[in-house]
């Protein structure tokens, strides 16, 4: 089956499967009781109606208007399909609504208007405007599109944007700025050839001029050739770009040019034309689905070309989704009355700058590559970069305020940034951000073992760049250098070479310490102490013990217990106990849940359970989380089984040792995590709010519960986290992914912050 046929069948199945289409309306308020419905509709709904009647601006307070955009089209210029009509345009408009929602959290009603007369179309849109906080015009043919947008922007007090014009302009302008920087050219000096004279081409060229491109250096071509002064039959928009030139064809125009902007049709640009361009030519062949010149043909013809297309299967995709969701997000959040040029330029500059920053790991994984950095093949961010919502939206919002079109003024930009992130991430992401922020408040030196591994190196790069911690790499230096070079990782960190560890500063001091503290605990000579130190697990742990680092991460290449066995030979236990605790933090929608006793103690006694619970509570407090402990059993407050008796005794020990600690049990986990269920026991300390620490009676039950929760797939986790040592030392799971290492390092840093 051909790729085209397969795509067609898959697309039709995608759209027709139940429920048909791509979007739906979902309630945002409770609606399960009679009281809920009385508030949602009659009689309660009358109250906000009356408030809005007194002050129209209150519609933003009492309704969804402030986060609702209309995607409106008459179907006269749909994608590359042309004038297919309003009905046939609906799948595209629904798709646009989906993109608004998934990338910026904006709700959309798509509206297909069966009207081609510009005056009537404008009146229809104006009559619908009170419903919305903004209007996105879509797929309206030129030149009518210019007049429609111009009049609606002038006659409405909500932001209006024709994305076909401005979206491509904004994204391509950002890419152009970066391409010019790479080619060491100035926008004021380059010769630009534009192939196409429709809405997108004209808007792009206007924006390039606003960025400093010289009008005399721009040659625009339509289907009849170069638009030059004296040419007849030009409309108002094309006349704006007519210049004095002897060139009459695209082939004439492109000779000795620096930039080609293609917004026309496929295969117009020949290899011969490309060869006639200046050194380091910039070619944006944005016709879809067939570019003006094939990507592979272009890079084979000119090795120095900087190439962009509108396609996702080639580097440097000029994709409008990088712009419109975040432009409207920023505009809506300040209740802008317009999306003006200042806001568009702010978006351009934010996108251009973002492309120069280190690329997040989730973006690299999404595109199945090992590295990605600013250069010829990366001049514009990728759509799955979750920083877009903050970088672009905030830039647009600031520009709206500065240019005087904002009705709501943001003063706390940090809070606004958090609000934007909260829109797109669940509570689990928010918790991870909070952990990272606490780690950043006092970055700690963390030695990270197994630094020869790509995942470890990439995690170290993220920790350093985001200033979460100060990583120190531990491993074989020659291999570390090779891996850095192989994956083009830009990272300048201290490296402790395990192959020459005995030449490291402090080695003699470490070996003497190890001998003195462990000479009756398995180490019988100074030479033996030195041999132990040549093992990376031992060296890293002693470095932390000696205060030369604040924390140590190890374990990537071996089992948890194998790593632990080396650590406990050289590290002192904490003053709390002679027992270690291992916990996993589940990041649920209701907040973190600590699962205790996951890896170390098979069948702890009541006293050991009490110690595990107290140790876990102390760690939760370091994370600014008030501990609420449930001691888990297979029954609720009955004391009939041996497990229940053991658990109840642990609760009694804790209540005596620490009466202010919120702890109760024996209790089943579903009751511990559900405040309505636990209310059946009014005597319980947990009856007002669910538990956030679950201490299981044995290792098997804790492990099974944690793995079941993680296996469901909707819950993220951090850990296991090793508690009970005198220092912040933690063990990575075998072959941990990059996010897992970064998250564990963040908690290790917080753990280190709380230690003397």
């Amino acid at each position: 089956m051909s790729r085209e046929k397969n795509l067609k069948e898959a697309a039709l199945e995608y759209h027709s499967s139940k429920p048909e289409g791509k979007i739906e309306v979902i309630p945002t308020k409770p609606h399960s009781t009679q009281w809920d419905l009385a508030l949602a509709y009659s009689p309660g709904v009358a109250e906000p109606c009356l408030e809005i009647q007194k002050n129209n601006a209150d519609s933003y307070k009492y309704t969804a208007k402030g986060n609702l955009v209309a995607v409106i089209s008459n179907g006269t210029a749909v994608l590359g399909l042309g004038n297919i009509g309003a009905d046939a345009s609906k799948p595209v408009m629904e798709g646009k609504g989906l993109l608004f929602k998934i990338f910026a959290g904006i709700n959309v009603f798509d509206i297909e208007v069966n009207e081609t007369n510009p005056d009537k179309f404008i009146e229809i849109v104006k009559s619908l405007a009170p419903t919305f906080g903004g209007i996105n015009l879509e797929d309206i043919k030129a030149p009518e599109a210019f007049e429609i947008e111009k009049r609606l922007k002038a006659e409405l007090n909500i932001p209006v944007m024709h994305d076909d014009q401005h979206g491509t302009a904004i994204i391509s302008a950002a890419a152009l700025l970066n391409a010019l920087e790479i080619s060491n050219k100035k926008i004021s000096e380059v010769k630009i050839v534009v192939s196409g004279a429709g809405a997108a081409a004209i808007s792009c060229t206007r924006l390039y001029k606003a960025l400093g491109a010289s009008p005399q250096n721009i040659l625009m071509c339509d289907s009849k050739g170069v638009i030059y002064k004296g040419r007849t039959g030009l409309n108002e928009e094309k006349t704006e770009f007519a210049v004095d030139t002897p060139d009459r064809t695209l082939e004439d125009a492109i000779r000795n040019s620096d930039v080609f902007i293609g917004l026309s049709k496929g295969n117009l640009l020949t290899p011969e034309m490309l060869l006639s361009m200046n050194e380091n030519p910039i070619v944006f062949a944005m016709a879809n689905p067939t570019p003006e010149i094939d990507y592979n043909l272009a890079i084979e013809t000119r090795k120095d070309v900087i190439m962009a297309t509108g396609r996702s299967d080639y580097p440097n995709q000029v994709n409008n989704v990088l712009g419109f969701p975040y432009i409207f997000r920023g505009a809506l959040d300040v209740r802008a009355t317009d999306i003006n040029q200042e806001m568009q330029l702010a978006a351009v500059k934010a996108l251009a700058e973002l492309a120069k920053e280190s690329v997040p790991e989730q973006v690299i994984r999404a595109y199945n590559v090992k590295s990605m950095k600013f250069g010829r093949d990366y001049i514009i961010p990728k759509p799955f970069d979750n920083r877009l919502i903050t970088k672009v939206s905030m830039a647009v919002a600031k520009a709206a305020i500065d240019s005087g079109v904002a009705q709501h003024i943001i003063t706390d930009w940090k809070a606004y940034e958090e609000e934007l992130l909260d829109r797109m991430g669940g509570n689990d992401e928010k918790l991870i951000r909070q952990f990272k922020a606490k780690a950043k408040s006092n970055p700690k030196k963390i030695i990270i073992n197994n630094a020869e591994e790509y995942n470890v190196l990439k995690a170290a790069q993220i920790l350093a760049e985001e200033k979460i911690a100060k990583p120190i790499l531990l491993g074989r230096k020659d291999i570390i250098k090779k891996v850095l070079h192989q994956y083009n990782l830009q990272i300048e960190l201290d490296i402790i070479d395990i192959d020459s560890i005995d030449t490291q500063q402090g080695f003699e001091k470490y070996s003497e310490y190890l001998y003195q503290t462990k000479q009756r605990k398995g180490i019988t000579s100074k030479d033996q102490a030195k041999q132990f130190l040549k093992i990376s697990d031992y060296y890293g742990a002693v470095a932390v013990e000696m205060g030369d680092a604040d924390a140590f991460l190890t374990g990537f290449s071996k089992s948890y217990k194998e790593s632990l066995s080396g650590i406990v030979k050289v590290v002192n236990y904490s003053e709390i106990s002679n027992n270690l605790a291992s916990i996993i933090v589940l990041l649920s929608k209701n907040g973190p849940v600590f699962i205790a006793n996951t890896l170390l103690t098979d069948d702890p006694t009541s006293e050991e359970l009490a110690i595990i619970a107290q140790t876990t509570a102390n760690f939760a407090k370091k994370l600014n989380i008030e501990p609420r402990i449930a001691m888990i059993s297979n029954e609720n407050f009955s004391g009939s089984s041996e497990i229940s008796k053991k658990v109840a005794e642990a609760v009694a020990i804790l209540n005596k040792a620490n009466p202010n600690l919120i702890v109760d049990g024996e209790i089943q986990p579903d009751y511990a995590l559900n405040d309505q269920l636990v209310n059946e026991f009014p005597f319980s300390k947990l009856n007002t709010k669910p538990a956030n620490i679950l201490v299981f009676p044995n290792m098997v039950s804790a492990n099974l519960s944690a793995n079941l929760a993680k296996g469901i797939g909707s819950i993220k986790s951090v850990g296991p986290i090793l508690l009970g040592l005198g220092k912040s030392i933690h063990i990575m799971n075998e072959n941990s992914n990059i996010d897992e290492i970064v998250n564990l390092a963040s908690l290790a840093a917080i753990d280190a912050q709380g230690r003397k």
Side-chain angles (χ1 to χ4, degrees):
M1 181 182 292
S2 70
R3 185 176 184 274
E4 290 75 15
K5 186 176 181 181
N6 187 53
L7 175 64
K8 177 181 178 180
E9 292 184 359
L12 293 175
E13 170 63 23
Y14 175 87
H15 286 81
S16 63
S17 60
K18 301 289 183 179
E20 295 85 353
K22 298 189 284 285
I23 57 177
E24 66 179 357
V25 176
I26 58 173
T28 60
K29 296 292 191 294
H31 52 276
S32 58
T33 68
Q34 184 177 356
W35 176 248
D36 292 337
L37 295 182
L39 295 175
Y41 199 57
S42 182
V45 75
E47 299 307 322
C49 291
L50 294 172
E51 293 300 310
I52 295 169
Q53 183 186 29
K54 288 185 254 180
N55 179 13
N56 282 345
D58 278 352
S59 61
Y60 288 91
K61 179 179 180 181
Y62 294 113
T63 76
K65 177 176 180 174
N67 195 42
L68 184 61
V69 165
V71 173
I72 302 180
S73 179
N74 61 6
T76 54
V78 180
L79 299 177
L81 305 174
N83 187 355
I84 61 174
D87 280 343
S89 73
K90 187 170 177 62
V92 178
M93 302 312 122
E94 284 189 356
K96 198 73 174 235
L98 181 147
L99 297 177
F100 266 111
K101 185 65 175 179
I102 64 174
F103 286 110
I106 295 172
N107 299 316
V108 163
F109 290 157
D110 64 290
I111 299 174
E112 293 72 40
V113 179
N114 192 19
E115 180 57 70
T116 58
N117 181 287
D119 291 330
K120 292 181 179 179
F121 183 88
I122 289 167
E123 287 306 312
I124 291 169
V125 174
K126 284 173 62 177
S127 68
L128 295 168
T131 307
F132 302 100
I135 292 174
N136 181 88
L137 299 171
E138 194 78 19
D139 291 349
I140 302 169
K141 72 180 182 72
E144 291 92 331
F146 298 110
E147 179 65 18
I148 288 170
E149 187 197 42
K150 181 179 178 181
R151 282 184 51 189
L152 287 173
K153 286 170 74 74
E155 297 173 28
L156 294 175
N157 65 346
I158 58 175
V160 176
M161 187 172 85
H162 185 211
D163 186 51
D164 295 328
Q165 295 180 56
H166 305 296
T168 304
I170 290 164
I171 312 310
S172 67
L176 179 60
L177 289 180
N178 283 341
L180 289 169
E181 180 177 327
I182 291 167
S183 60
N184 197 27
K185 297 179 180 181
K186 296 180 180 179
I187 194 169
S188 60
E189 298 174 357
V190 292
K191 178 183 177 183
I192 301 173
V193 175
V194 181
S195 177
I202 287 172
S203 184
C204 284
T205 311
R206 284 173 175 165
L207 197 58
Y208 303 159
K209 286 164 60 178
L211 287 167
S214 170
Q216 294 305 311
N217 291 341
I218 299 172
L219 292 179
M220 183 176 286
C221 303
D222 62 11
S223 59
K224 296 179 181 179
V226 175
I227 296 172
Y228 59 90
K229 284 191 175 178
R231 191 179 125 178
T232 59
L234 298 177
N235 61 32
E236 180 182 347
E237 284 74 25
K238 291 183 181 181
T239 301
E240 177 186 341
F241 298 99
V243 294
D244 285 321
T245 177
D247 296 334
R248 294 295 181 262
T249 67
L250 177 61
E251 187 175 6
D252 295 336
I254 205 165
R255 192 175 296 111
N256 299 321
S257 64
D258 299 284
V259 179
F260 172 83
I261 303 295
L263 291 155
S264 48
K265 63 180 184 179
N267 299 319
L268 280 181
L269 183 65
T270 66
E272 291 74 22
M273 293 181 190
L274 179 56
L275 287 167
S276 73
M277 295 180 70
N278 289 336
E279 185 181 1
N280 291 315
I282 297 166
V283 175
F284 291 179
M286 296 179 284
N288 255 328
T290 305
E292 283 80 1
I293 184 170
D294 177 73
Y295 175 83
N296 292 315
L297 177 59
I299 61 174
E300 288 170 8
T301 303
R302 291 285 299 258
K303 301 300 182 186
D304 60 343
V305 68
I306 300 176
M307 180 80 175
T309 71
R311 294 177 56 131
S312 60
D313 51 350
Y314 297 128
N316 301 326
Q317 183 191 19
V318 178
N319 189 334
N320 284 16
V321 80
L322 295 172
F324 69 81
Y326 315 111
I327 292 166
F328 271 97
R329 178 77 277 154
L332 291 173
D333 290 340
V334 295
R335 286 176 48 199
T337 57
D338 187 17
I339 295 176
N340 56 28
Q341 190 173 83
E342 290 89 342
M343 296 160 73
Q344 294 175 36
L345 290 173
V348 170
K349 292 170 184 175
L351 285 167
E353 290 303 315
L354 182 56
K356 299 174 190 176
E357 297 184 13
S358 293
V359 182
E361 181 58 28
Q362 69 266 24
V363 177
I364 292 173
R365 287 202 305 268
Y367 289 88
N368 197 30
V369 295
K370 283 292 187 181
S371 65
M372 193 181 292
K373 70 169 188 173
F374 180 63
R376 290 176 181 271
D377 290 335
Y378 182 71
I379 59 175
I380 195 73
K382 298 291 187 181
F384 291 106
D385 193 328
N386 59 15
R387 298 170 299 175
L388 287 162
I389 193 167
T390 54
K391 300 290 186 180
V392 180
S393 302
M394 292 176 69
V396 170
K398 287 178 179 177
I401 293 170
D402 293 343
S403 61
V405 297
Q407 298 179 93
H408 169 68
I409 307 302
I410 295 172
T411 55
D412 189 340
W413 290 97
K414 185 63 179 175
Y416 178 50
E417 182 179 19
E418 283 297 312
E419 178 188 324
L420 290 169
L421 292 169
D422 288 347
R423 283 186 180 276
M424 302 316 301
N427 202 33
D428 54 354
E429 293 292 341
K430 184 173 184 178
L431 286 164
I432 289 172
R433 291 200 309 273
Q434 290 173 346
F435 294 159
K436 289 179 179 177
K438 185 168 175 58
K440 290 178 186 179
S441 68
N442 183 13
K444 294 297 181 181
K445 289 192 291 185
I446 301 180
I447 296 175
I448 307 181
N449 197 9
N450 309 106
E452 305 91 346
E453 301 290 344
Y454 169 80
N455 284 7
V456 174
L457 282 174
K458 185 62 181 180
Q461 181 185 33
I462 293 169
L463 291 167
E465 288 179 344
E466 296 187 13
K467 295 181 173 57
I468 297 168
K470 301 172 183 176
I472 301 168
L473 305 177
L474 176 60
R476 295 180 61 186
K477 189 171 185 177
D478 58 337
I479 298 178
I480 293 171
K481 292 288 188 181
K482 287 178 183 178
V483 175
L484 288 171
H485 178 73
Q486 179 183 355
Y487 295 114
N488 201 20
L489 294 177
Q490 305 297 315
I491 180 171
E492 293 291 336
L493 295 175
D494 291 337
I495 299 175
I496 300 172
D497 187 1
I498 197 66
D499 284 342
S500 58
I501 203 72
D502 53 355
T503 66
Q504 296 286 327
Q505 185 177 2
F507 181 82
E508 294 296 330
K509 180 179 68 173
Y510 287 7
S511 61
E512 181 65 23
Y513 166 83
L514 193 57
Y515 174 68
Q516 293 297 333
T517 57
K518 301 295 180 180
Q519 60 186 241
R520 293 180 180 271
K521 299 176 182 178
I523 295 178
T524 57
S525 69
K526 291 184 178 182
D527 284 342
Q528 188 181 22
K530 290 179 180 180
Q531 290 304 312
F532 269 120
L533 277 177
K534 292 180 181 180
I535 300 171
S536 58
D537 280 342
Y538 295 3
Y539 184 89
V542 173
V544 175
E545 279 284 295
M546 296 293 289
D548 290 334
D550 302 299
F552 177 47
L553 258 59
T554 189
F556 182 89
S557 60
K558 61 181 76 170
S559 72
Y560 194 94
K561 288 192 174 181
E562 188 180 357
S563 295
L564 181 64
S565 65
I567 290 169
V568 296
K569 289 178 182 177
V570 298
V571 176
N572 291 326
Y573 287 76
S574 73
E575 67 280 1
I576 296 175
S577 69
N578 290 323
N579 291 91
L580 300 176
S582 178
I583 65 170
I584 289 175
V585 185
L586 300 178
L587 305 174
S588 76
K589 66 178 182 179
N590 297 319
V593 176
F594 298 79
I595 306 295
N597 189 30
T598 53
L599 282 172
L600 298 176
T601 311
D602 289 331
D603 188 19
T605 64
S606 297
E607 291 78 8
E608 289 169 337
L609 282 177
I611 291 168
I612 290 169
Q614 184 64 65
T615 303
T616 307
N618 292 344
F619 183 70
K621 288 179 180 179
K622 290 182 182 180
L623 302 177
N624 297 326
I625 295 169
E626 189 61 32
R628 298 177 60 82
I629 306 170
M631 306 296 285
I632 300 301
S633 180
N634 60 324
E635 52 192 354
N636 293 318
F637 304 108
S638 68
S640 59
S641 69
E642 289 303 313
I643 287 178
S644 293
K645 291 175 183 177
K646 179 175 75 170
V647 169
E649 178 61 25
V651 173
I653 292 170
L654 284 165
N655 283 335
K656 183 177 180 180
N658 191 349
N660 295 322
L661 188 65
I662 299 174
V663 55
D664 215 338
E666 67 282 10
I667 190 170
Q668 296 182 73
D670 53 340
Y671 279 77
L673 295 172
N674 188 312
D675 54 351
Q676 293 183 348
L677 287 177
V678 82
N679 275 336
E680 295 179 18
F681 310 106
F683 53 82
S684 173
K685 286 186 177 182
L686 300 172
N687 68 352
T688 58
K689 193 176 179 181
N692 52 25
I693 296 175
L694 306 183
V695 180
F696 284 81
N698 53 55
M699 187 174 69
V700 171
S701 59
N703 252 327
L704 290 175
S705 299
N707 288 332
L708 175 62
K710 290 190 292 182
I712 291 172
S714 60
I715 294 179
K716 293 183 179 180
S717 66
V718 181
I721 300 164
L722 183 60
L723 303 178
L725 293 174
K727 302 292 181 180
S728 179
I729 298 175
H730 301 278
I731 300 172
M732 299 175 274
N733 283 321
E734 283 189 84
N735 300 311
S736 295
N737 67 39
I738 294 159
D739 288 340
E740 289 171 341
I741 298 171
V742 171
N743 294 340
L744 183 60
S746 300
L747 293 186
I750 296 171
D751 187 16
Q753 288 173 356
R755 296 175 183 268
K756 295 179 182 178

